[in-house]
Amino acid sequence: MKKTTLYNFNAGPAALPAEVLEAASQAITDFNGMGLSLLEIGHRTEPFIAVMEEARQLAKELLHLGEEHEVLFLHGGATTQFMQLPMNFLSADKKAAYTETGTWSVKAIAEAKHFGAVEIAGSSKADAFNNIPKTLSLSTDAAYLHITTNETIAGTQWHEIPYHSGVPLVADMSSDIFSRTMQFSAFDMIYAGAQKNMGAAGVTMVVLKKSWMASITNNPPSIMDYRNHLKEESMLNTPPVFAVYVAMLTLRWLKAQGGIAAIEKINDAKAALLYQTIDACPVYTAPVAKADRSKMNVVFTMQDAALEKKLLDECKQNGIYGIKGHRSVGGFRASLYNAVSLEATQVLSALLTDFALRHG
Ligand SMILES: *Cc1c(COP(=O)(O)O)cnc(C)c1O
């Protein structure tokens, strides 16, 4: 059994539910009582096809998607989607609108430029990415509008989704997929690497609206063409079978918790508690504009580098793991993904309060 004494606030790969880890371990030695490992059966066998189908079906159900959307599980991480999206939907004679809100959207923009023109519809770059732009400006003939719903490193999150920009809406939801209710059916495309909030590294979920897919006129290499993946039901080539299985188990777990609306309540409580704690202690600073704070990645800093080190040491002694900030920004970051319990958040919050009393 997994050690449960650790409180894991890693940003990604990140915490997974203990039940999921347990079932995934079991499948490695004996999958479904077959006497074979999940890792040694063909992906086109009935037992694995059933896993892939259940994963796609659960995603659709949890996101409240109807027949007009398709769910794919693809290789390559969200970073591959930075390229695959424009490779399918952008061309040299077109432009795409992107919002520039942090490290991840900047990377997405750089990849799109390989295929066509990019128009920046809104940016918070001048504010060191500490907020989300409130007004967007884009051309009516843009191929699509791209947003990063949660900037994992900056710790910002879109709370008002620009559903009505007039052009197809595409979102990188790698770090907040399945964490909060949204009008998922209003998106033309959603993509998310699994390793933050829906499973293990190695697979990326891609949701595509069929009518938008029908507009593809580019002719990408076959493995990059979304239409081929759809036609082959996410089995164009060997899928990352284990990662798909872990995603399926995680979605089953989420359904058993009551789905997105139920987990959102817990996520709201976790984030509220942690931000209250940080705001109440002057020794900590939360750099993100209040209205745009991420409920998934809580970023904060301290003035004194020696104290930072001390806090990290105390966290370690208390089984609190993974709150060091991203190497590019420093400070601290506590990631509160679905599998992080309210109890774990209470433990972190209590330690932060206690530390501030002793060092404030
Ligand atoms: C982690 C992350 C990525 C990159 O994901 P990979 O699977 O490593 O390619 C992209 N976008 C966001 C928002 C992320 O958090």
Side-chain angles (χ1 to χ4, degrees):
M1 193 61 194
K2 188 192 168 219
K3 265 180 80 178
T4 49
T5 45
L6 280 185
Y7 301 103
N8 182 0
F9 296 95
N10 267 327
L16 284 169
E19 302 94 300
V20 168
L21 296 174
E22 198 66 20
S25 310
Q26 174 63 43
I28 287 189
T29 48
D30 181 6
F31 177 52
N32 281 358
M34 291 172 75
L36 287 170
S37 168
L38 169 69
L39 304 181
E40 53 182 5
I41 61 168
H43 58 290
R44 297 191 196 280
T45 56
E46 194 273 318
F48 185 75
I49 291 173
V51 169
M52 179 63 94
E53 278 319 298
E54 186 174 348
R56 295 174 72 197
Q57 213 35 60
L58 279 167
K60 261 189 144 174
E61 185 183 334
L62 289 161
L63 298 171
H64 297 294
L65 297 172
E67 284 310 303
E68 67 280 11
H69 283 84
E70 292 284 354
V71 177
L72 302 172
F73 284 89
L74 305 181
H75 290 276
T79 303
T80 300
Q81 295 309 309
F82 293 165
M83 157 186 74
Q84 197 168 353
L85 158 69
M87 191 181 258
N88 280 264
F89 291 102
L90 185 59
S91 49
D93 57 335
K94 290 189 202 155
K95 58 177 167 266
Y98 276 73
T99 53
E100 187 185 41
T101 50
T103 307
W104 295 113
S105 51
V106 165
K107 289 189 183 205
I109 290 164
E111 296 306 303
K113 285 179 177 167
H114 288 279
F115 301 93
V118 168
E119 155 180 284
I120 302 297
S123 175
S124 53
K125 190 176 175 185
D127 303 323
F129 298 125
N130 73 1
N131 62 65
I132 295 293
K134 295 296 170 300
T135 51
L136 299 184
S137 150
L138 61 145
S139 307
T140 51
D141 63 347
Y144 55 83
L145 169 65
H146 180 281
I147 66 171
T148 307
T149 51
N150 186 76
E151 282 281 1
T152 325
I153 294 173
T156 57
Q157 192 171 28
W158 288 77
H159 297 297
E160 302 285 339
I161 305 291
Y163 290 117
H164 306 293
S165 73
V167 305
L169 181 58
V170 177
D172 175 0
M173 296 195 190
S174 293
S175 51
D176 67 351
I177 187 76
F178 297 116
S179 73
R180 55 170 171 156
T181 51
M182 262 191 249
Q183 241 177 286
F184 296 104
S185 60
F187 291 83
D188 291 80
M189 176 170 156
I190 296 167
Y191 62 95
Q195 71 273 23
K196 271 83 180 219
N197 212 20
M198 58 173 290
V203 71
T204 299
M205 186 183 75
V206 177
V207 173
L208 276 157
K209 193 171 186 174
K210 284 187 207 162
S211 58
W212 196 45
M213 249 173 137
S215 75
I216 299 175
T217 50
N218 294 353
N219 193 21
S222 60
I223 191 73
M224 287 290 121
D225 191 324
Y226 292 122
R227 294 168 299 187
N228 292 340
H229 287 286
L230 177 59
K231 202 162 76 207
E232 299 298 327
E233 307 191 310
S234 266
M235 297 267 198
L236 180 59
N237 67 330
T238 315
V241 291
F242 187 64
V244 171
Y245 186 64
V246 177
M248 187 277 279
L249 291 173
T250 308
L251 296 179
R252 261 191 199 166
W253 171 85
L254 179 56
K255 186 179 171 183
Q257 307 304 301
I260 294 178
I263 207 88
E264 181 176 31
K265 289 207 181 91
I266 302 169
N267 288 338
D268 282 352
K270 289 170 351 194
L273 172 64
L274 203 49
Y275 283 116
Q276 268 162 26
T277 305
I278 291 162
D279 289 341
C281 307
V283 67
Y284 309 119
T285 307
V288 170
K290 273 195 176 156
D292 305 320
R293 285 172 166 181
S294 167
K295 293 179 182 179
M296 290 281 101
N297 309 100
V298 177
V299 169
F300 61 99
T301 58
M302 290 171 84
Q303 295 296 330
D304 181 340
L307 274 189
E308 278 198 7
K309 166 93 179 52
K310 216 164 180 198
L311 177 58
L312 279 178
D313 286 344
E314 287 199 19
C315 283
K316 201 171 166 193
Q317 284 154 24
N318 288 280
I320 293 168
Y321 191 80
I323 71 157
K324 197 171 175 13
H326 188 268
R327 56 197 149 81
S328 67
V329 292
F332 298 88
R333 170 176 54 172
S335 296
L336 305 178
Y337 300 126
N338 288 350
V340 175
S341 65
L342 179 59
E343 186 224 341
T345 313
Q346 286 162 342
V347 169
L348 173 60
S349 166
L351 184 131
L352 290 178
T353 301
D354 181 59
F355 186 88
L357 285 175
R358 284 181 282 116
H359 299 285

